[in-house]
Amino acid sequence: MPLLVMKFGGTSVADLARIENAAKKVQAEVERGYDVIVIVSAMSGETNKLVGYVEGTSKLYDAREYDAVVAAGENVTAGLMALRLQEMGIAARSWQGWQVPINTTSAHSSARFVSIPRENIDAKFAEGFKVAVVAGFQGVSHEGRITTLGRGGSDTTAVAFASAFGAERCDIYTDVDGVYTTDPRITEKARKLDKIAFEEMLELASLGAKVLQTRSVELAMRYKVRLRVLSSFEDTDETSGTLVCDEDEIMESKVVSGVAYSRDEAKVTLVRVEDRPGIAAAIFGPLSEAGVNVDMIVQNISEVEAGSAKGATTDMTFSCPTNQVARAKKAMEDAVAAGMISYDDLVVDTDVAKVSVVGIGMRSHAGVAATMFKALSKENINIKVIATSEIKISVLIDRKYMELAVQALHDAFELDKV
């Protein structure tokens, strides 16, 4: 039988009524002739509640027990979904991660997949079962301990199952009806895309778009798993939502497909760092070891101040998430104490935002940067830092101009037009 993977997020299974609604969507696919693997998240708010229980019990908790507790939310949803499907006359059963088994590494709360053997679920399909309801976000280590994959891990679970079972498609049901050219809350001109390439979706996800978890898109791109993003709360058919697919499936892409943004950015500048071979490694090595996710990097022109015993110096600027600033400062202070680097000052600006334009069409079209910078200039928005890749241009700007910048860029690239 052809097979589909269907994933329902927390808002899609937030209560019994929504679980029933999701079950009806599964029923529709079964009636079309599919065997279905359903991946479920915990009911909305449950994971946060479970995390609160752990933190309220132990501040320095055992990560293995943390995983055992927080994985319980998905187990409840899986059981309830299987019960609802059974009430509808559909042969279904629930599966916890260890029962499949979903084999993962032992990195608790951030585990990665090792393998997903098909034998157990395939055997149930062969017996006549039509639906396997699998608890997302979790697996089992080689020590036999429950593991979790990190927030958003159910998306990744769904893609991994679609790859392992050779699914025709992986449908991700959320509270939005697809992927838009930008956030519809910022501009009413935002347009839903029928298709978007894996690379574009990966960039948008990593740059702040919340529709899909970044790891899930990486996995889908690697194993060519066709993803479809669609709403749990609307009637859908085979043309609904947005298809995330290989570039070859898209007839002709616009130069720019979308505008992404991230509010939670900080700009960190090391003032007058010694300019010598290896200085970048001496700065960014400790930042990496401290787990700081550095994004945009700018090094100023080297200067030699008269009378300075320091020799040539430069300013080094980088961006990182605001919640990692304290970690970045500590890493730099430790590097100074270890004699690895020296600088005159460390300046942090947490009142910035990152705005990016993304599109695979940039590969073959010139002038994207000029159009972007002209649009921002017309709105008197100053650019603090610029970073580019083959299909992306990102700028760091004052946070108060973020929404204006998104609207201006959406208009400049005419993203409201098909």
Side-chain angles (χ1 to χ4, degrees), residues 5-13 18-19 21-27 29 36-43 74 77 81 133 136 154-155 158 171-174 230-233:
V5 172
M6 303 173 72
K7 182 264 177 178
F8 294 94
T11 55
S12 302
V13 291
R18 290 190 177 180
I19 289 174
N21 179 64
K24 288 177 180 176
K25 294 185 180 297
V26 177
Q27 181 184 38
E29 299 297 351
V36 182
I37 296 176
V38 178
I39 309 296
V40 292
S41 298
M43 299 165 78
E74 281 72 15
T77 312
M81 176 67 81
V133 185
S154 292
D155 282 356
D171 289 347
I172 307 290
Y173 285 86
T174 70
L230 62 174
S231 172
S232 302
F233 310 118

Side-chain angles (χ1 to χ4, degrees), residues 165-177:
F165 283 79
E168 185 175 301
R169 195 179 62 244
C170 178
D171 289 347
I172 307 290
Y173 285 86
T174 70
D175 52 3
V176 296
D177 62 348

